[in-house]
C-alpha cells in the first residue's frame, strides 16, 4: 500500500484565531486521506474560538497529541505537501493575510496546480498571495 500524501493545515496564531468547529471538521475530513501537518506563524499554538460542548472533548484530546504542536509557517517547504487547507480563522486578517511565508507557499501551490481549500474567514489568508504579475489566484474560480 502506498503512503498517504501529505496535507498542510495552516492556521492563524492570533488570539481568537481559529474556529474550533471548522478546524475539527477540516482535520477529521483530511486525516482520512492525508497525513497531516499543522503550521502557524512562528509555530505558535492554535487559539480555538467557539469551543462548545459538541467539540470541547475533541479539542482537549487534540491538544495533547504530538501533531497538535504546529510547525513554523516560515520554515515550511511547499514542495513537501500535496494539498493545503486553511480552516475558518477569524485571526487570518491579523496574521495570515499579510504573511510572506504563506504567500511563498501559496505561489508554489498555484504554480504546481495543487489543491488549496480555504474555509470561511480563512479565505482572507489568500490575500497575501501577491506576486509581480498580481494576485496568484487571478483567473481562478473560488467557491
Amino acid at each position: 500500500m502506498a503512503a498517504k500524501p501529505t496535507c498542510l493545515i495552516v492556521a492563524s496564531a492570533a488570539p481568537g484565531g481559529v474556529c474550533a468547529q471548522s478546524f475539527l471538521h477540516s482535520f477529521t475530513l483530511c486525516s482520512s486521506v492525508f497525513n497531516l501537518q499543522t503550521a502557524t506563524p512562528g509555530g505558535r499554538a492554535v487559539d480555538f474560538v467557539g469551543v462548545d460542548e459538541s467539540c470541547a472533548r475533541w479539542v482537549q484530546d487534540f491538544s495533547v497529541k504530538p501533531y497538535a504542536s504546529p510547525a513554523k509557517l516560515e520554515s515550511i517547504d511547499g514542495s513537501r505537501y500535496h494539498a493545503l487547507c486553511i480552516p475558518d480563522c477569524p485571526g487570518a486578517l491579523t496574521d495570515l493575510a499579510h504573511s510572506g511565508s504563506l504567500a511563498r507557499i501559496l505561489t508554489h501551490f498555484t504554480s504546481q496546480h495543487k489543491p488549496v481549500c480555504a474555509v470561511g474567514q480563512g479565505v482572507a489568508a489568500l490575500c497575501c498571495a501577491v506576486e509581480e504579475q498580481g494576485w496568484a489566484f487571478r483567473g481562478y474560480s473560488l467557491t
Side-chain angles (χ1 to χ4, degrees):
M1 178 180 210
K4 288 200 260 185
T6 306
C7 178
L8 179 65
I9 297 180
V10 175
S12 172
V18 180
C19 173
Q21 284 285 343
S22 180
F23 189 90
L24 179 156
H25 293 299
S26 297
F27 192 92
T28 303
L29 286 170
C30 290
S31 67
S32 65
V33 179
F34 296 102
N35 289 318
L36 300 177
Q37 169 73 58
T38 58
T40 62
R44 293 186 299 278
V46 174
D47 182 23
F48 292 109
V49 295
V51 179
D52 59 20
E53 59 187 53
S54 69
C55 65
R57 177 64 185 243
W58 188 91
V59 169
Q60 182 181 11
D61 290 347
F62 174 81
S63 67
V64 297
K65 303 286 185 191
Y67 49 74
S69 297
K72 290 182 179 181
L73 189 59
E74 298 80 5
S75 66
I76 295 294
D77 175 4
S79 68
R80 293 184 50 222
Y81 301 92
H82 300 90
L84 185 141
C85 180
I86 306 168
D88 186 8
C89 296
L93 283 169
T94 305
D95 56 5
L96 298 178
H98 311 286
S99 171
S101 299
L102 182 56
R104 175 182 43 78
I105 295 164
L106 288 170
T107 300
H108 167 78
F109 268 73
T110 57
S111 71
Q112 298 300 308
H113 305 288
K114 294 179 180 181
V116 174
C117 174
V119 180
Q121 294 174 76
V123 172
L126 303 179
C127 293
C128 70
V130 178
E131 46 191 20
E132 291 177 19
Q133 308 87 294
W135 191 43
F137 292 95
R138 181 184 65 255
Y140 278 68
S141 176
L142 303 177
T143 60

